[in-house]
Amino acid sequence: MGIHKYFRSLNELERIIRCPGKFKFEEHSVAAHSWKVVQYAKTLADIEEKHGAVIDWKKLYEITSSHDYGEIFIGDIKTPVKHSSLQLRSLIQQVEEGMIDNFIREHIPDEFKSIFYQQLREGKDESLEGLILEVADKMDQVYEAFAELQRGNTEKEFVVMYRNALIKIKHIELKCVDYFLAEILPDMVNEETLSPIDIRRITEEALAL
């Protein structure tokens, strides 16, 4: 069926809901998440360029737009579960990569196989673009959890998601992270809210670690 099979499969990302099984005021699909990650990443990369970094924009767009394609095969596994152990995270990644490889081998024409192997690979690594992807991915967790907490959602998982994502972002040494922590995050926390959840305290505790 060729590349049509790949294009058709993208619809499935619209039907995979993030953080399944928990009450949410607003649900987010994996497709919506991927789109937002691209938007975060391009702005983060702009900040890095302002500080003299050289960005491989083609690579950045490839890895950010496709970073969760493998969830078509395995669904959205909750972050606390996925990262509960290095061994489990490694096994999940092996299964996901294996199923992507099988999909490419069975459905993608030979002349495009190498391109798809490159574009659908795991993009999070120690390169500048890989680190920007990591920050952008965690930023969307921050925003999704923040929106739930702001509305008074008392599901503990959103506190954990918000807190852990902030801790992860804080420990990535990039200029865009400095900017996020100094300029963007304070604007978030300072938004007026009637939430019974002390978001400011949770934020301060996370940043202190």
Side-chain angles (χ1 to χ4, degrees), residues 18-57:
R18 286 166 59 78
C19 197
K22 294 295 182 180
F23 168 76
K24 298 179 285 292
F25 285 103
E26 184 176 356
E27 291 194 330
H28 301 272
S29 70
V30 173
H33 163 72
S34 294
W35 183 85
K36 287 183 289 181
V37 167
V38 173
Q39 307 312 306
Y40 300 141
K42 70 180 184 180
T43 300
L44 297 174
D46 284 334
I47 295 170
E48 291 297 317
E49 277 198 334
K50 288 285 187 182
H51 288 85
V54 176
I55 304 294
D56 183 338
W57 286 95

Side-chain angles (χ1 to χ4, degrees), residues 64-81:
T64 54
S65 61
S66 300
H67 77 283
D68 274 341
Y69 180 77
E71 291 190 8
I72 285 176
F73 307 109
I74 66 171
D76 181 68
I77 299 174
K78 296 177 183 180
T79 297
V81 174

